[in-house]
Amino acid sequence: MRIDIITVLPEMIEGTINTSILKRAQDKGLVTFELHNLRDYTLDKHKRVDDYPYGGEAGMVLQIEPIDRVITNLKSQRNYDEVIFTTPDGEQFVQSTANEISLLNNIIILCGHYKGVDYRVREHLITREISIGDFVLTGGELAAAIIADAVVRLIPGAIGDEQSALSDSFQDNLLAPPVYTRPADYKGWKVPEVLLSGHERKIQEWRHEQAEKRTKHLRPDLSK
Ligand code: ADE
């Protein structure tokens, strides 16, 4: 999979993609990231990529020209399955969105910024608009990093044990059951007996019960 990210703040994303599992996935050739600094695509001699909004509202708006230039350039080199825009008024990013995107070959993520982007970008260049939640960030970079993280870990081979991606919270609309590790008794706080029993069927039953119980208690909306 190839993920091209267009941003005015590449350094906000570099740390995420060059650390831990995302780094390893790149080293294994499972994913390629390309960060594009929007300022490299403007013809403006001061490298400005934003301007005042028509109609005189407060705040600056990202201009369409450099965005169109970078997207057109990328599209001339390969086909893209989606051109995603990160914005608080997009569709809500959930696990099934990550699953869908992880099956694609090439995607572009354009990070929103400032007051917004010239709406013609959204009308003509973007195929999917995604929000990571009902709150407003300073820009779309952290949202892009979150999308990249959630998507890449689903690519087979990205995390050591493929099974563990399938048993994540939310994959079957259930929160994950509790997990424990050694010591079995810490200051008298004990690991549930069943997990030490070696009885595989009982352990699976217990995990499922716990998942249902936690979901009902913490996220009743998921069981509907
Ligand atoms: N940009 C600013 N806030 C955002 C959000 N909640 N999701 C995606 N992009 C954003």
Short mmCIF file of all heavy atoms in Angstrom, two decimals, residues 85-89 112 130-141 143-144, ligand 1:
data_model
loop_
_atom_site.label_atom_id
_atom_site.label_comp_id
_atom_site.label_asym_id
_atom_site.label_seq_id
_atom_site.Cartn_x
_atom_site.Cartn_y
_atom_site.Cartn_z
N PHE A 85 -9.70 13.75 2.67
CA PHE A 85 -9.48 15.06 3.30
C PHE A 85 -9.85 14.93 4.77
O PHE A 85 -10.93 14.43 5.11
CB PHE A 85 -10.37 16.10 2.61
CG PHE A 85 -10.30 17.48 3.21
CD1 PHE A 85 -9.10 18.14 3.35
CD2 PHE A 85 -11.47 18.12 3.61
CE1 PHE A 85 -9.04 19.42 3.90
CE2 PHE A 85 -11.42 19.40 4.16
CZ PHE A 85 -10.20 20.04 4.30
N THR A 86 -8.93 15.34 5.67
CA THR A 86 -9.24 15.25 7.10
C THR A 86 -9.88 16.56 7.56
O THR A 86 -9.31 17.64 7.41
CB THR A 86 -7.96 14.98 7.93
OG1 THR A 86 -6.96 15.95 7.59
CG2 THR A 86 -7.42 13.60 7.67
N THR A 87 -11.08 16.43 8.11
CA THR A 87 -11.85 17.62 8.48
C THR A 87 -12.88 17.25 9.54
O THR A 87 -13.43 16.14 9.50
CB THR A 87 -12.57 18.19 7.21
OG1 THR A 87 -13.40 19.27 7.60
CG2 THR A 87 -13.41 17.14 6.50
N PRO A 88 -13.12 18.16 10.50
CA PRO A 88 -14.08 17.80 11.55
C PRO A 88 -15.51 17.60 11.03
O PRO A 88 -16.32 16.98 11.73
CB PRO A 88 -14.02 18.98 12.54
CG PRO A 88 -13.23 20.05 11.87
CD PRO A 88 -12.46 19.44 10.75
N ASP A 89 -15.82 18.07 9.82
CA ASP A 89 -17.20 17.84 9.32
C ASP A 89 -17.27 16.68 8.33
O ASP A 89 -18.20 16.58 7.54
CB ASP A 89 -17.80 19.13 8.73
CG ASP A 89 -16.96 19.74 7.62
OD1 ASP A 89 -15.90 19.18 7.30
OD2 ASP A 89 -17.36 20.78 7.08
N GLY A 112 -6.33 19.02 6.30
CA GLY A 112 -6.97 20.33 6.38
C GLY A 112 -6.19 21.23 7.33
O GLY A 112 -5.39 20.75 8.16
N ILE A 130 -13.02 12.73 6.06
CA ILE A 130 -13.04 11.94 7.29
C ILE A 130 -12.72 12.80 8.50
O ILE A 130 -11.79 13.61 8.50
CB ILE A 130 -12.02 10.77 7.20
CG1 ILE A 130 -12.47 9.79 6.11
CG2 ILE A 130 -11.88 10.07 8.54
CD1 ILE A 130 -11.55 8.59 5.94
N SER A 131 -13.55 12.60 9.55
CA SER A 131 -13.32 13.23 10.86
C SER A 131 -12.91 12.16 11.84
O SER A 131 -13.45 11.04 11.79
CB SER A 131 -14.61 13.89 11.34
OG SER A 131 -14.52 14.17 12.73
N ILE A 132 -11.97 12.45 12.74
CA ILE A 132 -11.64 11.45 13.76
C ILE A 132 -12.46 11.64 15.03
O ILE A 132 -12.28 10.91 15.99
CB ILE A 132 -10.13 11.42 14.08
CG1 ILE A 132 -9.64 12.78 14.56
CG2 ILE A 132 -9.32 10.94 12.89
CD1 ILE A 132 -8.39 12.69 15.40
N GLY A 133 -13.36 12.61 15.06
CA GLY A 133 -14.21 12.77 16.23
C GLY A 133 -14.80 14.16 16.29
O GLY A 133 -14.36 15.07 15.58
N ASP A 134 -15.78 14.33 17.15
CA ASP A 134 -16.48 15.61 17.25
C ASP A 134 -15.73 16.60 18.14
O ASP A 134 -16.17 16.90 19.26
CB ASP A 134 -17.91 15.40 17.78
CG ASP A 134 -18.79 14.79 16.71
OD1 ASP A 134 -18.43 14.85 15.52
OD2 ASP A 134 -19.86 14.26 17.07
N PHE A 135 -14.58 17.00 17.66
CA PHE A 135 -13.79 18.03 18.34
C PHE A 135 -12.92 18.66 17.26
O PHE A 135 -12.73 18.06 16.20
CB PHE A 135 -12.92 17.44 19.46
CG PHE A 135 -12.27 16.15 19.07
CD1 PHE A 135 -11.11 16.15 18.31
CD2 PHE A 135 -12.82 14.93 19.43
CE1 PHE A 135 -10.50 14.96 17.93
CE2 PHE A 135 -12.23 13.74 19.04
CZ PHE A 135 -11.08 13.75 18.29
N VAL A 136 -12.41 19.85 17.54
CA VAL A 136 -11.65 20.54 16.49
C VAL A 136 -10.18 20.61 16.87
O VAL A 136 -9.81 21.13 17.92
CB VAL A 136 -12.21 21.96 16.25
CG1 VAL A 136 -11.42 22.66 15.16
CG2 VAL A 136 -13.69 21.88 15.85
N LEU A 137 -9.33 20.05 16.00
CA LEU A 137 -7.88 20.11 16.18
C LEU A 137 -7.35 21.36 15.49
O LEU A 137 -8.05 22.00 14.72
CB LEU A 137 -7.25 18.87 15.55
CG LEU A 137 -7.74 17.53 16.08
CD1 LEU A 137 -7.34 16.40 15.14
CD2 LEU A 137 -7.19 17.28 17.47
N THR A 138 -6.07 21.65 15.74
CA THR A 138 -5.49 22.83 15.06
C THR A 138 -5.31 22.58 13.57
O THR A 138 -5.23 23.51 12.79
CB THR A 138 -4.11 23.18 15.68
OG1 THR A 138 -3.29 22.01 15.62
CG2 THR A 138 -4.26 23.64 17.11
N GLY A 139 -5.23 21.32 13.19
CA GLY A 139 -5.10 20.98 11.78
C GLY A 139 -5.39 19.51 11.58
O GLY A 139 -5.59 18.78 12.56
N GLY A 140 -5.35 19.07 10.34
CA GLY A 140 -5.70 17.67 10.06
C GLY A 140 -4.54 16.70 10.16
O GLY A 140 -4.70 15.51 9.88
N GLU A 141 -3.35 17.19 10.59
CA GLU A 141 -2.17 16.32 10.60
C GLU A 141 -2.31 15.16 11.59
O GLU A 141 -2.00 14.02 11.27
CB GLU A 141 -0.90 17.12 10.93
CG GLU A 141 -0.34 17.93 9.79
CD GLU A 141 -1.18 19.15 9.42
OE1 GLU A 141 -2.01 19.59 10.24
OE2 GLU A 141 -1.01 19.67 8.30
N ALA A 143 -5.01 13.91 12.69
CA ALA A 143 -6.07 13.02 12.16
C ALA A 143 -5.47 12.10 11.09
O ALA A 143 -5.73 10.89 11.09
CB ALA A 143 -7.20 13.85 11.59
N ALA A 144 -4.64 12.67 10.21
CA ALA A 144 -4.01 11.85 9.16
C ALA A 144 -3.11 10.79 9.79
O ALA A 144 -3.09 9.63 9.35
CB ALA A 144 -3.20 12.73 8.21
N1 ADE B 1 -9.10 18.74 11.57
C1 ADE B 1 -9.44 19.45 12.67
N2 ADE B 1 -10.19 18.73 13.49
C2 ADE B 1 -10.34 17.49 12.91
C3 ADE B 1 -11.02 16.31 13.28
N3 ADE B 1 -11.71 16.21 14.41
N4 ADE B 1 -10.95 15.26 12.45
C4 ADE B 1 -10.27 15.35 11.30
N5 ADE B 1 -9.61 16.42 10.89
C5 ADE B 1 -9.63 17.51 11.70
#
